[in-house]
Amino acid sequence: MDLYFSGHDYKYAAEQSLLMLFPSERPAYPAGEPKGDRAELTVAEGAASCRLVREGRSFEACVPVRPYDSDRERVRQEQHALKMAFYRAALASGVKKPAWGALTGVKPGKLMARYLEEGRTAGDFARDFDVAPDRAALCETTTRHTIAAKNSLRPGDIGLYVGIPFCPTRCAYCSFISSAVAGNRKLVEPYLDALMIEIERTGQAARDAGQRPAALYLGGGTPTTLEPEQLERLCSALETHFDLSALREYTVEAGRPDTITAEKLAVLKAHGVTRVSVNPQTMSDEVLEAIGRKHTAQDVLDALALVRQAGGFQVNMDLIAGLPKDTPEGFERTLERVLSLEPENVTVHTLAIKNGSFLAERPELLPDAEAVGRMTDFALERLKSAGYVPYYLYRQKYMSGGFENVGWRRGGTVNLYNIMMMEELCPILAMGAGASTKLEGPDGAVCRRMNPKYPKEYIERMNT
């Protein structure tokens, strides 16, 4: 879509709204007089306005800029007014109201936290951004978990992440740097050798800084792609080089049921792992085949039986709303089957179509936004009725229907690492290919340091 600005240069704010309202469009900034289908976005005389032209028809909206007492606040209020004007013009043109209204960004909890600190309510949040009441209430609940997690942290607490970028096969929706291990098995040992170097260096730096992990997360990829001896080596290195005396949880993504064995679980249990993810994504064999997984729903049941037999693990199970060949009725059957297994945590993701994934090239294979909305709405109500409580929430770009990802818990089984990482509550030291370390800069802003993306590059970097 062509975008024309007057009186401002709020490019990022405009593009966020465009992406949310018109996900198939990409921004363009032509020179000259406005013409054709377009959005004219203006800030002038204490108001922001949008003139949206679609198929020759014009739709307009104007929103006053709220009072401000600093230049920084002026920018924030002008951007908010501009987004609301764009949003109202889009709705007038026939765009269906999104569940999250005019709200953009991936971390609505940060905004909700500001509302709660200022004594405002979820109702105020819903009204200001035209957010559906159930989503505003969801955001308030998860934000209160974030506040509790923040208050529980002590000086020197950090999160620790280790990435293992290998999987049995590559899923059709995956845009991560994980590699199918069958064709890259020769890389696994050199990768572990390089990872040992980074673990030693990072561990020493953490000790020198007086930092101790409060939460440790082995992700990927699929860490349980490693053999038992390799898992033993990895876990032992972490114990050797980090002070784990303050560790409150230890999570391992055993996400693919076809990688879980009793021997691997015994290694994890011996090293104090407290939580594993057994991630079906769906319990439909047809949908599993469509996304490129080489296991069945029965394999998920068998893997979970092994985990329960090993004992001592909290279990998370991931589901995805919006997978190819899935339907609202099929998703409901999947969720009911998962609930019958009584996992401590259930995480419901909305499919996000990212560049680099197979499905980015085949959007016609996917259920539409209305169907995805039925799936996520059912999950909200059914999980609450089953006694689960939402404890963390985030959104992503290119997400089907603009919905959300939500972690649900039974009892006190929150995953602290997920909250720490998503809400940036403390430093996150991350190791492995594609890992992103998050540190607080001198001005309080979060600074990120990215490792090389691909295993070969990572190995070369660690060996220089």
Side-chain angles (χ1 to χ4, degrees):
M1 179 181 290
D2 291 344
L3 301 179
Y4 295 87
F5 294 169
S6 177
H8 68 96
D9 190 25
Y10 297 142
K11 192 172 183 179
Y12 182 68
E15 290 181 357
Q16 280 187 309
S17 291
L18 175 66
L19 185 62
M20 181 266 294
L21 295 164
F22 302 99
S24 64
E25 298 276 359
R26 294 296 177 266
Y29 299 93
E33 291 296 315
K35 61 181 180 180
D37 286 0
R38 62 193 183 272
E40 300 174 32
L41 299 165
T42 301
V43 175
E45 299 179 357
S49 62
C50 173
R51 180 172 183 244
L52 178 65
V53 180
R54 298 182 69 193
E55 298 178 352
R57 298 181 62 196
S58 179
F59 308 90
E60 299 186 17
C62 184
V63 176
V65 175
R66 292 174 180 166
Y68 49 83
D69 55 12
S70 67
D71 191 59
R72 181 177 181 179
E73 184 66 10
R74 173 187 62 80
V75 170
R76 192 165 74 88
Q77 295 300 346
E78 287 181 348
Q79 289 182 338
H80 173 67
L82 193 72
K83 289 180 178 181
M84 290 302 300
F86 198 172
Y87 171 76
R88 291 177 182 176
L91 262 59
S93 75
V95 170
K96 185 178 179 180
K97 177 182 172 179
W100 286 93
L103 195 65
T104 60
V106 300
K107 298 174 182 176
K110 284 187 175 291
L111 185 58
M112 177 63 81
R114 188 186 310 148
Y115 270 62
L116 297 178
E117 288 169 6
E118 295 172 356
R120 291 185 282 174
T121 67
D124 297 325
F125 179 88
R127 182 185 64 251
D128 289 349
F129 295 94
D130 202 23
V131 174
D134 60 345
R135 260 53 181 199
L138 174 68
C139 190
E140 179 181 11
T141 300
T142 56
T143 300
R144 291 193 184 280
H145 277 87
T146 297
I147 294 169
K150 182 177 182 180
N151 292 338
S152 76
L153 296 176
R154 298 173 296 175
D157 280 352
I158 61 170
L160 198 62
Y161 177 85
V162 182
I164 305 298
F166 302 104
C167 283
T169 58
R170 186 178 177 89
C171 296
Y173 54 79
C174 184
S175 63
F176 294 137
I177 50 86
S178 55
S179 303
V181 75
N184 293 276
R185 192 167 295 279
K186 64 182 180 180
L187 278 179
V188 176
E189 278 297 328
Y191 180 82
L192 280 177
D193 290 341
L195 188 57
M196 294 301 114
I197 296 171
E198 188 176 22
I199 287 173
E200 182 175 0
R201 292 173 181 172
T202 306
Q204 186 60 56
R207 287 177 180 271
D208 291 345
Q211 295 174 325
R212 300 183 304 177
L216 171 52
Y217 197 104
L218 269 59
T222 308
T224 44
T225 303
L226 300 179
E227 297 300 326
E229 298 79 10
Q230 295 168 331
L231 284 171
E232 171 68 38
R233 183 185 179 196
L234 173 57
C235 293
S236 295
L238 291 167
E239 291 171 357
T240 298
H241 296 293
F242 286 91
D243 177 3
L244 301 184
S245 62
L247 198 63
R248 293 159 55 183
E249 67 176 33
Y250 193 161
T251 300
V252 174
E253 285 277 354
R256 297 287 288 266
D258 41 345
T259 68
I260 298 173
T261 67
E263 293 77 14
K264 293 177 187 180
L265 292 170
V267 172
L268 300 181
K269 186 174 181 180
H271 286 279
V273 172
T274 58
R275 181 178 184 270
V276 295
S277 284
V278 181
N279 298 335
Q281 315 302 8
T282 175
M283 294 296 281
S284 163
D285 287 345
E286 180 184 17
V287 178
L288 285 169
E289 182 178 2
I291 62 176
R293 290 207 167 202
K294 304 302 182 182
H295 66 80
T296 65
Q298 183 60 48
D299 292 330
V300 176
L301 301 179
D302 294 342
L304 185 60
L306 285 176
V307 172
R308 294 305 195 195
Q309 184 176 355
F313 297 113
Q314 295 176 11
V315 173
N316 172 72
M317 301 185 78
D318 279 7
L319 304 178
I320 300 179
L323 290 173
K325 293 196 175 181
D326 208 357
T327 63
E329 295 76 19
F331 180 83
E332 290 175 15
R333 288 192 294 271
T334 283
L335 183 54
E336 293 292 356
R337 198 168 185 189
V338 165
L339 289 176
S340 72
L341 302 172
E342 300 185 331
E344 284 75 18
N345 295 156
V346 177
T347 306
V348 180
H349 296 270
T350 303
L351 183 66
I353 303 301
K354 297 183 179 180
N355 293 333
S357 69
F358 168 76
L359 291 177
E361 308 300 325
R362 300 293 306 274
E364 74 278 4
L365 298 177
L366 303 173
D368 61 23
E370 182 179 354
V372 176
R374 288 173 58 190
M375 297 177 193
T376 59
D377 286 347
F378 176 79
L380 285 176
E381 293 306 315
R382 184 65 185 93
L383 282 158
K384 283 191 290 186
S385 70
Y388 287 80
V389 177
Y391 73 92
Y392 89 103
L393 161 72
Y394 68 102
R395 302 172 71 207
Q396 292 173 272
K397 293 182 179 179
Y398 313 113
M399 182 174 272
S400 297
F403 293 103
E404 66 282 317
N405 302 324
V406 186
W408 296 80
R409 64 163 178 84
R410 288 195 309 162
T413 59
V414 301
N415 182 224
L416 178 63
Y417 176 84
N418 281 336
I419 301 174
M420 292 163 60
M421 185 270 295
M422 289 308 307
E423 301 300 334
E424 298 170 340
L425 301 185
C426 66
I428 303 292
L429 302 187
M431 296 166 287
S436 175
T437 288
K438 296 182 180 182
L439 302 171
E440 186 174 312
D443 60 353
V446 174
C447 302
R448 289 173 173 80
R449 188 195 71 204
M450 292 291 299
N451 274 353
K453 184 175 181 181
Y454 296 103
K456 286 184 179 179
E457 296 171 351
Y458 174 78
I459 292 167
E460 291 170 1
R461 170 74 65 82
M462 289 300 119
N463 285 296
T464 57

